[in-house]
Every structure is written in structure tokens, then in C-alpha cells.
Amino acid sequence: MIILGIDPGVATIGFGVIRAERGKNTLLRYGVITTPPGIPLSSRLLQIDRDMEELIHTFQPDEMAVEELFFSKNITTGIAVAHGRGVILLAAERLGVPIFEYTPMQVKQAVAGYGGADKRQVMLMTQRLLNMKQVPRPDDAADALALAICHSRAATSLLNTDREFDPAK
């Protein structure tokens, strides 16, 4: 299964593409989509839509993992991210890619084993889990890879299948 992880935004959108097979994750590509500052929001959103379409056509993901939106201190930034996130979700839906959403705590738990892990711990575990020579950069791309890993673990869990768990088997 090919998973596209997306860390949403407007100025910078992180993406990470992995192949998940039999409990093993293989890195395919990661990076960021950027939009130029100083142009109208509507133009930036259109560029995000076009770039998302290109990513989806290039990698043909089976599923997409996106970070759920949460507001901490800066509501203005949160609103802009919400605009970008909406375009990202729309592009995936329009192109038929199933969408799965995860909170930052779920991602930290899946990747680092602790929901309160700091950013550095998650980045180091992402590097380790994908057998990367260096910590993935920038942070947005690293977050997108962590989202993809989180989904690969959730997607292969017995808890997310139609089968019932029978401890006797």
C-alpha cells in the first residue's frame, strides 16, 4: 500500500510518501509544497490544489493521512491552515483517495511510543523507522512522514479490520 502523508498549511505543506508492506515501511519521497507570500490567498489555494493533484497523479497513493487541525495560541494562523487543509481534503476526495485523519498525539504515540513525545524524538524515530541516513528536513516534511507511518501502523492493526480478534487463535 502506498501512503501519502500530508502536514497541512498554506505557506508550506509537508508531504511524505511511503510504501507499507507486511509491517515494513519504505521511503519513496518527501518534501514540501510552498506558495509564495504576498499573493492573494485564493491564488495560493489554487496552487495547493494543483500541486496536490500532481502529487496524487505521480505517486498514485492508496490512502492519504492528514493531520487534524488543532488551535493552540495563534488562531489567525489556524484559520489560514484550515483553508489549506480544506483544499487538500477536497483534492484527495475529488481524485478518489481515501482520507484518514490523525491528531498530533496519535502520531507521536504511533511513531515514538509516547503521546507526549517532543518534535525531536518524533523526527529521530521517523529517521530510524524509515532507515534514513539523516533526520528528515524541513520539519513539515518530517511531520508528513510521521503521519504516513502512523497510518501504516493503524491500517495494519487488527482493530481496524472487519475480523474479530480471537485470542485463542
Side-chain angles (χ1 to χ4, degrees):
M1 167 173 40
I2 295 179
I3 301 168
L4 172 60
I6 296 289
D7 182 34
V10 171
T12 306
I13 299 95
F15 72 88
V17 185
I18 66 171
R19 181 184 311 278
E21 294 177 308
R22 298 182 198 108
K24 181 183 178 202
N25 294 319
T26 305
L27 174 65
L28 298 179
R29 177 86 46 89
Y30 69 98
V32 292
I33 295 169
T34 58
T35 63
I39 66 171
L41 176 61
S42 58
S43 297
R44 293 175 101 173
L45 296 175
L46 180 60
Q47 182 179 339
I48 291 168
D49 179 61
R50 289 176 177 159
D51 289 346
M52 284 302 303
E53 187 171 328
E54 183 178 336
L55 267 177
I56 291 168
H57 284 307
T58 300
F59 293 103
Q60 298 290 306
D62 297 296
E63 297 176 347
M64 186 168 90
V66 180
E67 187 173 73
E68 283 189 8
L69 187 60
F70 70 100
F71 292 96
S72 55
K73 295 177 183 162
N74 190 340
I75 193 143
T76 304
T77 301
I79 291 170
V81 171
H83 287 303
R85 189 172 180 279
V87 169
I88 290 163
L89 296 176
L90 178 64
E93 185 68 26
R94 185 179 69 244
L95 297 170
V97 180
I99 302 161
F100 297 84
E101 301 176 50
Y102 299 95
T103 66
M105 185 177 281
Q106 288 173 309
V107 175
K108 292 173 183 182
Q109 178 69 40
V111 175
Y114 170 57
D118 66 28
K119 187 174 257 325
R120 180 82 179 140
Q121 290 171 308
V122 174
M123 290 172 75
L124 288 170
M125 282 305 297
T126 298
Q127 174 191 8
R128 187 174 190 192
L129 292 169
L130 294 175
N131 297 313
M132 300 173 74
K133 292 180 182 177
Q134 298 178 333
V135 172
R137 297 271 182 215
D139 291 358
D140 302 291
D143 291 347
L145 286 171
L147 278 152
I149 292 168
C150 174
H151 181 63
S152 77
R153 292 182 166 195
T156 57
S157 169
L158 280 175
L159 298 174
N160 290 325
T161 65
D162 292 333
R163 298 176 298 191
E164 289 185 33
F165 177 67
D166 183 352
K169 290 185 179 179

